[in-house]
Structures are given as structure tokens and as C-alpha cells.
Amino acid sequence: HRHPPRQAIPVIVSVLRWLYAVSTTNGGGEIDDYGAGIGGGNNVLSPLAEPKDFYSTGLDSIPMTSLYKDHAVYMHALNNEMPRSSFFLTAHPFLFHPSKKRELLHLENEVDMYRTATESSSYDAETQETTIDAYFVLEIDRENLFEQTLEKLREVDSANELRKKLRVVFRGEAGVDAGGLTKEFFQLLSEDLFDVGSSLWSGRYGETVTWFNADCTWDDGGYEMVGLLVGLALYNGVLLDVNFPHTFYRKLLGLPLGLEDMIDEDLKRSLGQLLDYEADDVENVFCVNFEVTWRNLGQEQTVELKPGGSDMPVTNENREEYVLLYVQWLLVDSIAHQWDAFQLGIVKIMETSSTLSLFRPEELELLVVGTPDLDWYALQNNVTYEGGYDDNSDVIKLFWIYTQSIERDTQINLLKFVTGCGRAPIGGLGALPFLIQRAGPDSHELPTSHTCFNILMLPDYTTYAKLEEKLGRAIVECEGFGLE
């Protein structure tokens, strides 16, 4: 039926939920309350269907306020261990496109921002006026952005203050933050916050992976501060420039980890070979015990994976236990101290954001860092024009030729120039609001932008050479904002 009767919907969703679990766990895992598999991380079979195959376009027409109410009532039922006899759409997040989940999270956070602001309001009995301070204002210098940010956050007495809407002010600049400065702030902050040269992050993976340094046991405050800033970015719907591996997002969601989640590809391959070895002489061929040895500052360190592990060889019979304990130690136990401090920082900001649990790890990664895939044709099909421009305007045709001809790094800088971020959000560039507005006739002026609204102010240049030169200069030279 095109429009099934209302009473049939729970039955249909239950069947889809079962199919989803079978597809994503290959029949080897349970199904949790959110329709996700609770199996291990080592699926060896190709999925029967991709998660995107279960997205329901029919949910797109449901008002976000209705979904918010549905989720609020559902979470109340869960938290109070009430019988779940009613049907809740948000109990089945596998049906929702990630962009819909992002909208729901945004609404939940906006409600919390308003609630936090009103709770800290003050009433003047003399004037009979109520003052509401709706923003947490972060006023800093560009030159000392990282140090001053940490200093300002340490001065905050209560996490409630941080759960107001963030407003960034760069001293000496006229820009008013309507979102653009916040986006640029987090992009600039990421350079220092996730610098693998710092002691917080492991250097064994180079600059391609940001992972916790197991040997850094002296800086709980540093990890908590990073968690706080990651939480602030999530809470305010801003992308970060960071290379967390997929494992990070599984941990953040509290999902179990397996061999497939190992970050070190060589080690993953070696452990896989140990499991796949078919002969019965594992002990003599691999010559390993239930222990892990590594070097820290030139000193060799060893930890037993189980009591007496140093004297316990790995055999055909116990090799699966060895791999499980090794993965547990490397991804959980060895960084437990650092992870707990980091997670404490996130929880201080996101403790009321129950919608976060609706995301799959891949979706959460898109929420945090966006996608590096920049489909400029998709953006061209989604763009809007103002001031007299349209698809047939000569300068517009030249602009889209320019976007396809420049190097990838320049494309990223162009996107940063207009939007404040060099990555696309969930849904790609085709889902990004983008407006090109006429900024007067042909002139020698450079293009400008309003990053808070993703607006490019483009003069009506008459030649490709002039557009290339002026826009190229604007991308390189223009850091900082005029009117936002």
C-alpha cells in the first residue's frame, strides 16, 4: 500500500528493524534499543544492504517539533523504566537520514541554550525588567587565540555558562558573530588543539591520525579542555578540522570494539594472520606471550594482558582470547586515563543532548568533521543568486569554470572564504546553503563574503582573467571579517 494504515506502521518498522540488524551484523549480533547491532567489530561478510538503503524519505515531511516531542517522551520512558507500549519513531534511528538527525540535535541544543539562558536571567524590581544573557561571549586576540581560549574557559565557574550559545569576538575587528566567526574560530583553533606534535596525541601515526598518547599521564586538564572544546563545537553545530579515526566515534557512542577497529594497520594485519593461521603450531611459529612490550622515551615497558601473561604462550587454543585482550588493552585500557578526562569535558557540554545517541559512528564522524568530498557540481545545482545574477549571467558561468579548474587546496580555501570551513556538511555540498550576490558592476574591488550566511559578494567581472586574479587574491589575503 502507498499509505499503509496507521496501526500497521509499528509492524512494518519492526520488520525493517530486523532486516537492518541482519544486514549490519550478518546475523551474528543482537539488536539494541536504537536498532543498531551489538555484535563485535569483525564482520567478514559483505552486508546484505547498506544502512542508507533503510532511510525513509517519508520522515522528511514530519515537522521537527513533532520529532523532538517524540524523542523527549521516548527518552522519558527509557529513563524512568516505564513500559514502552507506545510506538516512538525515534526509537528506530536507522530510518532517519543523518541530516534529519542533525536537525533534531540542533533543535535539542537550541532548546537547551534557551533554557540555560532563562535559568540565569535576572529581574530588576525597580525597573520591573528581566535581563536574559543569551550568549557565552569569548573575546580573544587572533594572535593568541589558543592560549587565550584556554585561559577564558578555565575562568568559567559553571558549565551552565558554556551551554549558552557561543559568540566569538576577535578584538580589533568589526565583525559581529552570527555564526561565521564561530566557524572560523574552530577552524583556527583546530590547528593547535589537535597538533600531533603536542604531548596529548600519539605521534606513531603521523599527521593522518589523531589518537590519544597512552604515555601522557600527567595532563588530565589538557584532555578535559580538548573534550570541552569538542563538546562546544558539537553543541554549536560547528565542524572541526581533526583526523580522529573511526574507532574514536565508536568509543564516543559506547559501542564495543573489535579487531577491525585497530588503528595500526600493520598490527591489525599481524593479529589477523595469527587468527587465520591454519596449522597447529601457533606457539612455535608466532612465539608470543600474553603481554605487550613498547618503548617510551627510550625505556622498554611491558604490561601483562592477564595475570601471569608473561609466562603464558599464545597457542591455537587461546589465540582468540589473546587478540581480544590485545585489542581491549590498546584501544581501551592503555588510554583509559586520558579518555576519561576527555569524555568528562564533552559530557559537561553535551550531557543533555540525548539525540547524539541516535547517530551511527559514520554519521557522527560527518557531524564532527563533515566530508572532504567537494562536489562543486552539486553545489552549483543548489546555489541561489541575488542582486540580478542567475545561471546565465556571464560572471556566474566564469565562476563555476573557475571552481572546476583550480587545485583542490584552492577549492578548500575558497570554501573556507565563503563559509568559514573547508569541508562539506552532512549531505555534501549539495546540502549546503550557498548564495552568490552581485556586488556592483565590474571593478577592481576584491570579492567579499559573509560566512555566517554562506554568501559570496561577487562584482560583475567581465573577464575570466580578472575573476581569477581578484577571487584568487581574496581567498589568499582575506582573513578576518567585515560585517558578519
Side-chain angles (χ1 to χ4, degrees):
H1 294 281
R2 186 173 181 84
H3 299 289
R6 187 179 184 88
Q7 60 268 27
I9 292 177
V11 177
I12 294 172
V13 170
S14 295
V15 173
L16 289 172
R17 184 170 179 262
W18 179 81
L19 289 172
Y20 173 81
V22 171
S23 298
T24 55
T25 65
N26 292 316
E30 304 171 15
I31 309 172
D32 68 11
D33 287 321
Y34 294 101
I38 319 181
N42 303 322
N43 293 337
V44 295
L45 301 177
S46 298
L48 301 176
E50 297 294 335
K52 65 181 180 181
D53 296 329
F54 291 89
Y55 296 154
S56 172
T57 56
L59 298 176
D60 295 341
S61 60
I62 298 178
M64 192 53 58
T65 52
S66 298
L67 287 179
Y68 175 80
K69 182 179 179 180
D70 175 275
H71 185 61
V73 176
Y74 174 57
M75 294 308 299
H76 178 76
L78 279 180
N79 295 333
N80 292 277
E81 299 183 354
M82 297 168 59
R84 284 178 282 164
S85 56
S86 299
F87 175 76
F88 300 100
L89 277 173
T90 52
H92 310 282
F94 68 92
L95 296 173
F96 291 86
H97 190 279
S99 60
K100 200 70 173 178
K101 298 178 187 179
R102 180 190 59 186
E103 291 180 45
L104 182 57
L105 177 65
H106 177 73
L107 176 58
E108 183 181 49
N109 290 340
E110 288 284 340
V111 171
D112 189 62
M113 289 174 186
Y114 177 78
R115 182 188 301 117
T116 302
T118 54
E119 287 175 352
S120 61
S121 62
S122 58
Y123 177 74
D124 189 322
E126 184 174 337
T127 61
Q128 296 185 342
E129 292 181 350
T130 299
T131 302
I132 298 178
D133 187 1
Y135 297 95
F136 169 63
V137 180
L138 187 61
E139 186 175 351
I140 49 177
D141 297 311
R142 279 185 183 272
E143 294 74 16
N144 301 298
L145 181 146
F146 184 64
E147 294 79 6
Q148 290 185 6
T149 296
L150 299 185
E151 180 182 347
K152 293 287 185 182
L153 293 182
R154 292 190 183 105
E155 293 174 354
V156 176
D157 295 328
S158 171
N160 281 340
E161 186 69 15
L162 299 176
R163 286 202 292 270
K164 297 177 181 178
K165 190 171 186 61
L166 178 63
R167 172 168 283 179
V168 175
V169 176
F170 287 120
R171 293 193 185 101
E173 298 183 17
V176 177
D177 188 14
L181 293 181
T182 298
K183 288 189 286 186
E184 191 202 15
F185 163 76
F186 277 107
Q187 290 296 301
L188 296 174
L189 184 70
S190 295
E191 297 176 12
D192 290 316
L193 194 63
F194 305 113
D195 181 6
V196 295
S198 75
S199 60
L200 296 179
W201 312 112
S202 173
R204 66 182 297 181
Y205 309 108
E207 296 184 357
T208 59
V209 176
T210 304
W211 189 246
F212 299 81
N213 181 8
D215 296 317
C216 181
T217 59
W218 61 86
D219 198 358
D220 288 3
Y223 284 111
E224 183 179 342
M225 193 61 64
V226 173
L228 201 69
L229 287 162
V230 170
L232 276 174
L234 271 171
Y235 191 63
N236 288 274
V238 182
L239 298 179
L240 291 169
D241 187 4
V242 60
N243 297 314
F244 287 133
H246 183 70
T247 307
F248 168 85
Y249 301 100
R250 288 188 64 87
K251 282 179 68 70
L252 199 58
L253 292 172
L255 298 176
L257 302 176
L259 180 58
E260 287 303 308
D261 299 306
M262 292 287 282
I263 303 167
D264 188 322
E265 292 296 330
D266 291 335
L267 181 56
K268 181 197 296 187
R269 190 178 304 110
S270 297
L271 293 175
Q273 291 171 347
L274 170 63
L275 292 176
D276 294 337
Y277 187 71
E278 295 182 354
D280 59 0
D281 55 348
V282 163
E283 180 178 353
N284 296 327
V285 172
F286 288 89
C287 302
V288 291
N289 295 336
F290 276 73
E291 63 180 9
V292 179
T293 301
W294 74 100
R295 300 190 71 82
N296 178 29
L297 300 177
Q299 299 294 317
E300 187 174 278
Q301 299 190 29
T302 300
V303 62
E304 293 184 326
L305 296 177
K306 60 187 301 185
S310 296
D311 300 317
M312 186 180 300
V314 176
T315 65
N316 289 70
E317 291 73 24
N318 63 21
R319 56 183 169 177
E320 289 188 6
E321 179 190 13
Y322 169 76
V323 171
L324 286 173
L325 290 175
Y326 202 120
V327 171
Q328 171 70 22
W329 176 82
L330 191 62
L331 300 182
V332 180
D333 299 341
S334 69
I335 61 165
H337 194 73
Q338 296 85 342
W339 179 264
D340 289 345
F342 170 82
Q343 195 169 39
L344 177 63
I346 285 188
V347 169
K348 284 185 176 180
I349 307 298
M350 300 294 293
E351 64 177 343
T352 60
S353 300
S354 60
T355 304
L356 205 62
S357 62
L358 304 183
F359 288 80
R360 296 171 56 248
E362 301 81 20
E363 298 168 344
L364 184 57
E365 182 174 4
L366 290 175
L367 186 69
V368 174
V369 300
T371 173
D373 299 327
L374 303 180
D375 186 347
W376 291 90
Y377 290 112
L379 181 63
Q380 184 175 354
N381 291 330
N382 183 56
V383 72
T384 54
Y385 304 102
E386 285 187 359
Y389 284 157
D390 58 33
D391 288 327
N392 296 315
S393 300
D394 290 340
V395 70
I396 295 301
K397 294 178 181 178
L398 296 177
F399 172 79
W400 293 117
I401 293 173
Y402 174 79
T403 63
Q404 298 295 338
S405 64
I406 55 181
E407 298 291 333
R408 175 172 171 77
D409 286 347
T410 307
Q411 289 181 334
I412 292 172
N413 289 331
L414 171 59
L415 195 61
K416 284 182 178 179
F417 174 67
V418 181
T419 72
C421 180
R423 286 180 169 236
I426 290 176
L429 289 184
L432 180 72
F434 196 93
L435 188 149
I436 302 178
Q437 184 170 333
R438 190 174 188 269
D442 184 23
S443 69
H444 294 291
E445 298 295 322
L446 298 181
T448 58
S449 64
H450 299 309
T451 57
C452 50
F453 303 114
N454 301 341
I455 298 175
L456 173 63
M457 304 292 295
L458 185 67
D460 197 357
Y461 301 124
T462 55
T463 67
Y464 181 82
K466 179 177 281 190
L467 179 138
E468 182 181 36
E469 188 262 330
K470 297 298 183 183
L471 188 53
R473 277 185 56 194
I475 293 170
V476 173
E477 297 177 7
C478 296
E479 183 178 88
F481 294 78
L483 179 64
E484 289 299 314

